[in-house]
């Protein structure tokens, strides 16, 4: 549809109808997370938005691995395929927009939603986020880049003010969103928090300024759910869509169970109460027929009044409606149908694709395998056929399908570690002992009284687990954390007595493999006392099948997308409440650009496992690094639109010396020259990477293109700036495992 036709449609809409297009309602079927009822008179159908990002949250769907596991695969092609599969499931469930991907940077190692985000590094997040968006969009579904921006902790997420420098925003927190915009994301979700004093749902400088004017975003900005605070400020600040927008009456209708569950989470944050108590409060409010204590509906009557009173121009509303209609149009929803692909994929027709659920389960298994990181291995892995196994761990008999909150998915089927290993080890003995009490998997849909903070105790099961471990050839201890949206983890330690269990099992069997299913980095005080450590994040519904693949020799190719420090205090956000969790509702990003490995490098702190680290069953050797300029090598201020243009080409030969195939992730880091007085730059920063499968005994030439942004720093006056001088280009297996080095002088 042309702009002229959208304008014509707009001119037919009454004020009421326009307001109906910028504020959500409860889905009468109770399935969509966000719902616009449309305008029947003008053949504008309902628009349906659904969570995101680990799978489609509507009835059963494939529970894919957590986003951080995708981050660990370091492979944009895989991210694109995952995006396409998610789009197919979104469409099969009748929705138009997926509320994904999550592009926030892992700043705080205990952040409650780290599992929903890709990494601690902007270059990695950008490359994978863009590919994910591209997959979703070419699959015929709108992608929503969330949560824009600086929603880097769950603690007080709905009110906290992130006090962050422009340089840190530009260099660390914004690039992932810019990449999503460049990849043509349909929507951006404004975060709950404030940034430098303004709620993101009304942040004119970042929404209208950076996102729209600078980056050219012409899609829809939606609020996060109940994240709108003021009709005029949000309307003027650049918000297009208020979600969920449901009235109190709608909220307590039977079909709004999902919305109520979300509200429960939000209220508990605001009032700092445990969800079960809140659940009772919400119920009481409903039973009493009292109005809800929180206004939800800003883009309804309040916005109408503001327009009547001249506080907001109707033209401002028109711009929002035009963008919302543009979103409809993108997927053929204004032509009486729904294309089977976006304009970009050239699709047509109006039937939702049927999903090959088996193939999607296999894809979930592939992503889980590829996101698995072999952190340590003294040679016990791969397991040998015929090894007897003692599988130990509080939840090893269930797949870890995800964390708690809006990303929860009901899987189509599951494979637990016990099941996966039993199936693969057919013929050999595989025993299972829990060892300690189950770790609670917190859920947004917990029934009252279930309690999120269940304590773990040890009992007779503990001794049984140790005995089973002693009697087996290999002990596999599966440990996990329990993270959820809405709260950060209390500490980086594994919950309950799991560390004790690992130590006891390792003392009983020298061939102990620890499998860590966690939302992000956890303390591993036993790491040096066990034979192997395998990080599988939240592997999703194919958990055990993928684990068996890796333990029996499939080379996963996973590399750490986050630094695994020894303790919380080693991270750059530690040591001062100002930085985390914040003081008086302000969290000061005083570490600036020194997030994750950039901070460990600056502080000279050795992580337990560095960013980019991951072992392989193969054996790779690097040779013949050549670094060449791909452009004129200009210095000084850059035109921001050219940030993605190539500036260096790095070519290196990688040989697989083993007699088995393997997957290597070749990583290039740039070491900048000294910046002008008073400007500190990270020692090295990820600039480019490539995941390559190499057969045993083969050599591959790998070419990496370093974009201009990798050399540049952001200066608040001059903008993106390349300093003259000598740049080191380090190619290696992690941020701290250098295999080849070149230099380039830029003058
Ligand atoms: C709140 C979460 O922050 C967001 O990610 C999600 O999409 C919405 N709720 C809707 O469930």
């Amino acid at each position: 549809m042309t702009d002229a036709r959208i304008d014509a449609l707009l001119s037919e809409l009454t004020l009421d109808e326009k307001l109906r297009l910028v504020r959500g309602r409860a889905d009468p079927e109770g399935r969509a997370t966000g719902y616009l009822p449309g305008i029947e008179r003008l053949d504008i159908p309902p628009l349906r938005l659904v969570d995101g990002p680990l799978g489609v949250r509507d009835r059963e769907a494939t529970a894919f691995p957590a986003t951080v596991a995708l981050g660990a695969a370091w492979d944009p092609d895989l991210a694109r395929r995952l995006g396409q599969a998610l789009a197919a499931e979104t469409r099969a469930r009748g929705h138009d927009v997926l509320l994904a991907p999550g592009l926030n940077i892992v700043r705080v190692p205990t952040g409650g939603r780290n599992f929903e985000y890709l990494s601690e590094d902007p270059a990695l997040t950008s490359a994978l986020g863009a590919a994910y968006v591209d997959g979703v969009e070419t699959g015929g579904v709108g992608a929503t880049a969330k949560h824009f921006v600086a929603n880097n902790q769950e603690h007080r997420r709905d009110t906290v003010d992130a006090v962050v420098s422009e340089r840190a925003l530009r260099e660390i927190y914004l690039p992932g969103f810019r990449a999503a915009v460049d990849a043509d994301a349909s929507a951006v979700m404004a975060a709950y928090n404030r940034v430098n004093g303004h709620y993101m749902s009304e942040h004119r400088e970042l929404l209208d300024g950076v996102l729209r004017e600078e980056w050219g975003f012409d899609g829809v900005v939606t609020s996060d759910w109940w994240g709108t605070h003021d009709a005029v400020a949000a309307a003027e600040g650049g918000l297009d869509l208020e979600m969920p927008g449901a009235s109190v009456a709608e909220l307590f209708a039977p079909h709004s169970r999902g919305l109520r569950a979300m509200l429960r989470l939000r209220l508990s944050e605001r009032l700092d109460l445990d969800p079960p108590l809140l659940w009772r409060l919400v119920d009481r409010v409903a039973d009493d027929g009292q109005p809800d204590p929180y206004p939800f509906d800003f883009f309804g009557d309040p916005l109408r009044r503001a327009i009547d009173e001249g506080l907001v121009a109707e033209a401002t509303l028109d711009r929002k409606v035009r963008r919302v209609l543009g979103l409809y149009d993108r997927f053929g929803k204004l032509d009486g149908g729904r294309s089977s692909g976006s304009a970009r994929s050239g699709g047509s027709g109006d039937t939702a694709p049927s999903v090959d659920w088996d193939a999607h389960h296999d894809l979930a298994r592939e992503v889980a395998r590829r996101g698995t990181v072999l952190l340590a291995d003294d040679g016990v892995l791969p397991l040998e056929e015929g090894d007897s196994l003692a599988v130990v761990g509080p939840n090893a008999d269930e797949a870890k399908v995800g964390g708690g909150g809006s990303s929860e998915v009901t899987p189509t089927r599951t494979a637990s570690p016990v099941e996966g290993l039993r199936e693969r080890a057919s013929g050999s003995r595989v025993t299972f002992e829990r060892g300690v009490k189950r770790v609670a998997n917190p859920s947004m849909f917990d029934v009252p009284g279930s309690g999120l903070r269940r304590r773990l105790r040890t009992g007779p099961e503990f001794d049984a687990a140790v005995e089973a471990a002693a009697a087996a050839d290999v002990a596999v201890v599966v440990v996990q954390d329990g993270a959820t949206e809405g709260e950060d983890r209390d500490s980086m330690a594994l919950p309950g007595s799991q560390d004790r269990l690992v130590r006891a099992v390792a003392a009983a069997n020298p061939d102990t493999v620890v499998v860590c299913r966690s939302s992000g980095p956890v303390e591993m005080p036993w790491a040096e006392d066990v034979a192997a450590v395998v990080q599988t994040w939240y592997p999703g519904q194919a958990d055990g099948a993928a684990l068996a693949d890796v333990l029996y020799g499939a080379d996963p190719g996973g590399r750490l997308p986050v630094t695994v420090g020894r303790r919380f205090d080693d991270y750059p956000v530690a040591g001062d409440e100002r930085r985390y969790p914040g003081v008086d509702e302000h969290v000061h990003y005083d570490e600036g650009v020194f997030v994750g490995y950039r901070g460990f490098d600056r502080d000279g702190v050795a992580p337990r496992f560095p960013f980019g680290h991951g072992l392989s069953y193969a054996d790779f050797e690097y040779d013949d690094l050549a670094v060449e300029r791909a452009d004129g090598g200009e210095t000084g201020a850059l035109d921001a639109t050219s940030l993605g243009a190539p500036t260096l080409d790095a070519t290196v030969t990688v040989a697989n010396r083993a007699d088995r195939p393997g997957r290597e992730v070749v990583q290039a880091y740039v070491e900048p020259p000294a910046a002008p007085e008073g400007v500190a730059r990270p020692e090295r920063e990820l600039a480019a990477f490539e995941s390559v499968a190499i057969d045993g005994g083969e050599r591959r030439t790998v070419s990496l293109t370093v974009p201009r942004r990798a050399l540049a720093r952001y200066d608040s006056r001059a903008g993106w700036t390349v300093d003259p001088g000598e740049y080191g280009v380090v190619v290696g297996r992690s941020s701290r495992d250098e295999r080849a080095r070149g230099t380039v002088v830029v003058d």
Side-chain angles (χ1 to χ4, degrees):
M1 181 172 281
T2 59
D3 284 357
R5 276 190 61 203
I6 289 185
D7 283 346
L9 199 51
L10 185 65
S11 67
E12 286 187 56
L13 293 169
T14 64
L15 181 60
D16 264 348
E17 287 168 337
K18 288 179 195 169
L19 288 166
R20 221 174 128 85
L21 286 169
V22 294
R23 178 191 148 218
R25 298 293 166 89
D27 173 12
E29 292 175 55
R31 295 192 293 108
T33 311
Y35 178 84
L36 276 182
I39 315 283
E40 221 180 318
R41 172 179 87 80
L42 294 170
D43 284 335
I44 300 175
L47 188 80
R48 312 173 62 89
L49 296 76
V50 74
D51 275 319
L54 278 57
V56 176
R57 188 160 61 81
D58 176 11
R59 293 164 289 174
E60 287 178 357
T62 309
F64 287 102
T67 311
V68 68
L70 182 69
W74 291 58
D75 185 349
D77 291 335
L78 191 65
R80 188 171 292 106
R81 281 170 56 211
L82 176 64
Q84 279 169 345
L86 286 164
E89 295 196 15
T90 303
R91 297 208 49 212
R93 292 288 180 245
H95 304 289
D96 306 297
V97 175
L98 185 69
L99 299 169
L103 297 175
N104 297 99
I105 290 291
V106 175
R107 171 178 184 260
V108 179
T110 48
R113 293 183 89 174
N114 286 348
F115 68 93
E116 290 190 63
Y117 303 139
L118 286 158
S119 83
E120 69 184 25
D121 180 83
L124 183 57
T125 293
S126 298
L128 299 177
Y132 184 120
V133 165
D134 187 57
V136 173
E137 294 280 344
T138 54
V141 162
T144 310
K146 71 184 189 184
H147 311 85
F148 185 72
V149 60
N151 181 181
N152 303 104
Q153 65 186 57
E154 290 302 281
H155 183 76
R156 302 228 173 261
R157 64 172 172 169
D158 56 337
T159 47
V160 76
D161 182 21
V163 182
V164 51
S165 69
E166 181 173 16
R167 178 174 171 213
L169 274 177
R170 298 278 188 175
E171 291 188 25
I172 304 290
Y173 299 102
L174 287 172
F177 292 96
R178 166 139 211 195
V181 168
D182 290 346
D184 212 9
S186 289
V188 167
M189 185 188 292
Y192 283 130
N193 49 281
R194 293 177 286 160
V195 172
N196 297 330
H198 303 283
Y199 278 112
M200 277 311 304
S201 56
E202 49 199 53
H203 208 300
R204 194 199 289 240
E205 197 185 331
L206 286 168
L207 296 181
D208 265 348
V210 171
L211 189 60
R212 292 213 174 88
E213 277 159 38
E214 248 185 67
W215 299 351
F217 178 64
D218 61 0
V220 167
V221 176
T222 176
S223 72
D224 201 339
W225 271 231
W226 296 288
T228 311
H229 303 268
D230 183 282
V232 175
E236 293 290 328
L239 189 76
D240 294 319
L241 199 54
E242 180 191 7
M243 279 292 169
S247 65
V248 176
E250 281 178 297
L251 197 64
F252 292 107
H255 59 255
S256 297
R257 180 178 167 268
L259 277 183
R260 281 199 302 277
M262 279 188 267
L263 178 67
R264 179 159 48 106
L265 192 78
R266 301 277 299 115
L267 289 176
S268 66
E269 285 164 37
R270 286 182 186 214
L271 302 184
D272 217 10
L273 295 173
D274 280 343
L277 181 58
L278 239 299
W279 186 230
R280 291 197 288 275
L281 176 66
V282 169
D283 270 354
R284 202 179 48 108
V285 170
D287 292 347
D288 292 348
Q290 297 298 322
D292 194 275
Y294 299 99
F296 306 132
D297 167 19
F298 292 98
F299 276 9
D301 284 339
L303 183 55
R304 165 199 289 281
R305 271 197 306 277
I307 291 172
D308 288 346
E309 289 166 16
L311 295 172
V312 173
E314 193 168 343
T316 303
L317 175 62
D318 287 353
R319 279 197 293 279
K320 300 179 194 307
V321 174
R322 198 177 280 117
R323 289 192 284 257
V324 171
L325 290 176
L327 177 58
Y328 270 92
D329 185 40
R330 193 180 253 243
F331 302 106
K333 287 179 69 86
L334 292 179
D335 301 320
R338 192 198 189 297
S339 65
S340 63
S342 68
R344 292 173 60 208
S345 68
S348 63
D350 61 1
T351 45
S354 61
V355 169
D356 182 343
W357 299 102
D358 290 338
H360 283 197
H361 180 78
D362 291 346
L363 177 61
R365 178 175 180 167
E366 185 183 345
V367 177
R369 170 169 61 77
R370 296 279 310 280
T372 295
V373 186
L374 293 178
L375 289 175
D377 176 22
D378 72 357
V380 65
L381 295 177
L383 298 175
E384 299 197 357
E385 305 290 336
D387 279 344
S388 64
L389 305 181
V391 183
V392 171
N395 300 55
D397 58 342
E398 62 190 28
K400 181 67 181 145
V401 293
S406 57
S407 65
E408 287 177 43
V409 177
T410 308
T412 57
R413 59 173 131 142
T414 57
S416 72
V418 172
E419 286 163 339
L421 290 170
R422 280 207 169 124
E423 194 177 322
R424 180 62 180 73
S426 60
S428 327
R429 211 161 63 89
V430 179
T431 60
F432 166 57
E433 293 291 342
R434 209 173 291 292
V436 291
K437 292 261 182 289
R438 261 203 165 79
V439 176
N441 288 308
S443 167
M444 187 166 74
F445 303 96
D446 275 341
V447 287
S450 71
L452 291 183
R453 298 187 186 84
R454 214 181 283 159
R455 283 282 145 228
L456 299 169
R457 288 180 303 275
T458 57
E461 297 161 303
F462 196 87
D463 299 336
V466 176
E467 273 164 37
D473 292 327
V474 176
V476 178
V477 191
V478 181
V479 294
Q480 72 170 64
D481 68 2
T484 179
E485 177 180 336
E487 62 183 58
D488 293 333
R489 283 186 289 146
D490 296 344
S491 85
M492 267 178 66
L494 288 169
S497 306
Q498 294 182 97
D499 284 337
R500 224 186 103 205
L501 180 66
V502 171
R503 284 194 193 284
V505 168
N509 189 330
D511 285 336
T512 291
V513 177
V514 178
V515 176
C516 182
R517 304 190 297 186
S518 64
S519 51
V522 294
E523 279 174 17
M524 299 181 177
W526 30 256
E528 274 146 34
D529 307 324
V530 299
V533 185
V534 180
Q535 177 70 40
T536 66
W537 318 103
Y538 294 163
Q541 69 177 45
D543 182 343
L547 179 66
D549 290 342
V550 172
L551 295 192
Y552 282 92
D555 204 30
R559 303 291 184 264
L560 284 178
V562 290
T563 302
V564 176
R566 286 172 197 277
R567 56 189 76 81
F568 183 90
D569 284 348
D570 288 352
Y571 284 81
V573 292
D576 188 342
E577 288 193 341
R578 275 169 58 88
R579 285 195 291 271
Y580 179 77
V583 175
D584 296 335
E585 301 283 326
H586 297 284
V587 56
H588 298 263
Y589 286 36
D590 291 339
E591 77 286 358
V593 299
F594 295 92
V595 177
Y597 67 91
R598 291 165 168 81
F600 279 78
D601 289 349
R602 177 199 58 186
D603 300 338
V605 175
R608 191 178 291 286
F609 298 110
F611 175 83
H613 169 76
L615 302 175
S616 165
Y617 293 135
D619 179 16
F620 298 106
E621 221 176 75
Y622 286 65
D623 253 320
D624 304 332
L625 172 65
V627 182
E628 279 171 14
R629 290 247 284 265
D631 65 358
E634 298 91 305
T635 57
L638 287 184
D639 169 5
T641 57
S642 75
L643 282 174
T647 187
L648 305 176
D649 285 328
T651 307
V652 69
T653 308
V654 184
N656 178 357
R657 296 279 175 224
D659 57 4
R660 59 190 308 141
R663 184 171 276 280
E664 180 65 320
V665 178
V666 181
Q667 305 165 35
Y669 295 82
V670 164
E671 295 182 348
E677 181 91 31
V679 180
R681 288 195 74 177
E683 226 167 84
R684 67 181 66 86
E685 301 186 87
L686 182 68
F689 62 90
E690 179 98 25
S691 169
V692 279
I694 310 180
D695 278 341
E698 293 229 322
R699 297 163 74 79
R700 283 275 301 272
T701 302
V702 178
S703 298
L704 302 171
T705 304
V706 174
R708 302 180 81 183
R709 75 161 53 80
L711 269 47
R713 62 184 171 82
Y714 191 84
D715 179 275
S716 54
R717 263 165 303 170
W720 290 101
T721 304
V722 173
D723 293 317
E726 187 177 275
Y727 288 77
V729 178
V730 176
V731 173
R733 302 203 69 248
S734 83
S735 63
R736 292 190 171 215
D737 184 352
E738 174 176 335
R739 296 298 167 107
R741 168 183 286 268
T743 51
V744 156
V745 175
V746 176
D747 43 27

